[in-house]
Amino acid sequence: MTTKIDTDAVPTLFAGGEEQTIRKFWNAKPFPHVWIDDFLPRERFDRLVRSEEASAEKPDFEFNTSLERNKTTYSSDAVSTESQSLVASITAPQFLKEISRLTGIPDIIPLTEYKSQSLRFHHKMEDGGFLGSHVDHSAVREGRVHFLNCIFYGPATWKPEWGGQTLLFDKWGFREQARVECTPNRLLIFLHTSESFHGVARLTGNPHSRPTVYMDYYAKLNDLKLLDVQAASNGSAFASKFWRHYTTFVPRSLKDSLRYMHPYLMYLLRRGY
């Protein structure tokens, strides 16, 4: 389903100032990221919350493994019009132009353009849920590389003691380096290289779901070198590294190793596009 949206309704990445936001993004650790609070106008966010609370759609998938628990995903056709409108906003041409100014990548394609892919941008996580350290797939089509993610946090209310923070790890995926709180109406955007391991802290005692909307973005293979140029121009020594791999989880126990060690080893062996 295609949702049209007035360009005047597309939120901006640069409400806090364009230059400040770009420099903050490139100088964040362990890899470039920035979040925008109060991303949607309050009235629009309240409509989104009400529409999701009224939704009774069943999920397309449920995840309950040793590294991904109490998580469900929903197809775009199964969610409210307000949720579809949010996806339309973060994939609108006006928004993609701002991502270009943020990253230095001139030609950006959001995942919504790949109609052959399973489009499940809407996620929920319940009490006890978590997502282990992992790096996402590197590409969906030859010559186009997955280089950027964004996550919108959609609960009406959230307390830090409930967990649910987005965790950012070192380049091997083992050591946590930073946490981003699950603050309602916050948009997190981060550079997704082949070393951008991330996950979700375990949820504990939350009385309601942790809903999020996810999107990833693709660049031409030959444009990836522009990321390091943009980093340097903003005072960062960050160097982007990419190679071909599938979504890869970091095994944390002997039990995990039986399922996840082989993909992780293949990930390590596939360096170099």
Side-chain angles (χ1 to χ4, degrees), residues 156-221:
T157 60
W158 198 262
K159 296 180 179 180
E161 56 263 36
W162 294 343
Q165 297 90 350
T166 297
L167 309 178
L168 308 181
F169 293 86
D170 66 9
K171 65 180 181 179
W172 303 108
F174 284 96
R175 288 192 304 149
E176 180 189 327
Q177 301 285 289
R179 290 189 169 208
V180 179
E181 293 291 341
C182 175
T183 300
N185 200 14
R186 169 177 285 180
L187 184 80
L188 168 66
I189 187 163
F190 63 89
L191 196 68
H192 192 280
T193 72
S194 291
E195 298 178 329
S196 296
F197 283 91
H198 57 287
V200 177
R202 186 183 296 273
L203 278 63
T204 305
N206 51 301
H208 50 72
S209 300
R210 174 190 182 271
T212 55
V213 174
Y214 164 88
M215 184 55 58
D216 50 87
Y217 304 88
Y218 297 81
K220 292 178 180 177
L221 181 60

Side-chain angles (χ1 to χ4, degrees), residues 106-117:
D107 182 16
I108 297 171
I109 293 183
L111 183 58
T112 47
E113 294 300 310
Y114 295 107
K115 306 300 183 183
S116 62
Q117 302 299 308

Side-chain angles (χ1 to χ4, degrees), residues 26 99 122 178 199 217 257 268:
W26 282 106
I99 294 178
H122 310 271
Y217 304 88
S257 296
L268 294 175

Side-chain angles (χ1 to χ4, degrees), residues 105-133:
I105 298 295
D107 182 16
I108 297 171
I109 293 183
L111 183 58
T112 47
E113 294 300 310
Y114 295 107
K115 306 300 183 183
S116 62
Q117 302 299 308
S118 297
L119 304 182
R120 297 180 181 88
F121 312 123
H122 310 271
H123 302 175
K124 288 184 180 179
M125 194 170 282
E126 308 297 335
D127 187 22
F130 64 90
L131 181 61
S133 175

